[in-house]
Amino acid sequence: MTTPGGAVPGPDGALRCPWGVSTPDYLPYHDEEWGRPVHGDDALFERLALEAFQSGLSWITILRRREGFRRAFADFTITAVARYTEADRERLLADEGIIRNRAKIDATLANARVLADWSPGDLDALIWSHAPDPTTRPAPRTLADVPAVTPESTALSKALKKRGLRFIGPTTAYALMQACGLVNDHLKDCTARP
């Protein structure tokens, strides 16, 4: 028997976080990517951008357009996106393969320009310096045990904003921390919990 809000059986019978089995598109993302450590400035820039685009939308909307985002934003190579021109911006605003939100596109382009001036590894080091001690919080048993904001995500948001990045509030920062493995919010009984 499962606990309300707790892990639920997936198509193979193994217990997973409920959101991970809510649609077939989520299953591989939940099992193979979410909560696994992500390193590298370009990889983290992609996650920053996608989390910003997700703001106000469901994650499945972003996940289903991820390849479109990768095509539109040069696989999130910081140096390439930093060179985007006004013509590229107009192309992005017309690209049906992504979310055509002017503020989010502008923030992604501005963030790439800021990050292009950082030394290699700086983004990785800054983000990971905000990873909490994994022994300080027990594994969540239900979705109700998973916070939306933490002191660490608030500090990460402030640190990124102080360095010039945009569209990264504490809730977005926490979603980034979850997606990139800085925290492990797979439920206690979830098969994907390392």
Side-chain angles (χ1 to χ4, degrees):
M1 186 164 121
T2 61
T3 304
V8 298
D12 59 359
L15 294 177
R16 290 182 174 81
C17 302
W19 67 266
V21 297
S22 62
T23 177
D25 293 346
Y26 270 148
L27 196 60
Y29 176 72
H30 169 272
D31 287 2
E32 301 162 17
E33 187 173 349
W34 191 78
R36 305 281 191 252
V38 174
H39 287 281
D41 292 345
D42 291 338
L44 289 166
F45 172 57
E46 175 184 3
R47 297 338 186 270
L48 273 171
L50 294 178
E51 293 297 345
F53 274 100
Q54 185 272 326
S55 182
L57 302 170
S58 68
W59 179 246
I60 196 67
T61 301
I62 303 305
L63 192 60
R64 287 177 175 157
R65 294 179 184 205
R66 192 173 191 183
E67 290 310 313
F69 277 108
R70 286 176 171 165
R71 281 189 299 276
F73 288 98
D75 286 324
F76 291 97
T77 303
I78 293 168
T79 54
V81 178
R83 291 190 302 266
Y84 276 19
T85 64
E86 181 61 27
D88 291 307
R89 180 178 175 270
E90 293 303 317
R91 172 184 55 80
L92 293 169
L93 288 168
D95 190 334
E96 294 180 6
I98 66 170
I99 304 302
R100 295 173 291 172
N101 178 294
R102 185 177 308 277
K104 294 174 182 182
I105 289 170
D106 288 347
T108 301
L109 299 179
N111 289 346
R113 291 180 191 114
V114 168
L115 292 170
D117 289 336
W118 292 18
S119 296
D122 279 0
L123 179 61
D124 191 300
L126 177 62
I127 288 174
W128 277 91
S129 73
H130 290 82
D133 178 346
T135 64
T136 60
R137 193 173 96 202
R141 291 185 177 278
T142 70
L143 294 178
D145 298 331
V146 178
V149 175
T150 63
E152 294 87 0
S153 74
T154 300
L156 175 58
S157 171
K158 287 179 181 177
L160 291 168
K161 286 179 181 179
K162 185 176 181 179
R163 297 279 308 261
L165 298 185
R166 298 169 28 188
F167 232 102
I168 182 78
T171 303
T172 300
Y174 193 68
L176 172 77
M177 294 171 79
Q178 291 174 304
C180 295
L182 279 75
V183 295
N184 183 356
D185 278 344
H186 282 286
L187 300 183
K188 184 177 188 332
D189 296 328
C190 178
T191 190
R193 185 173 181 84

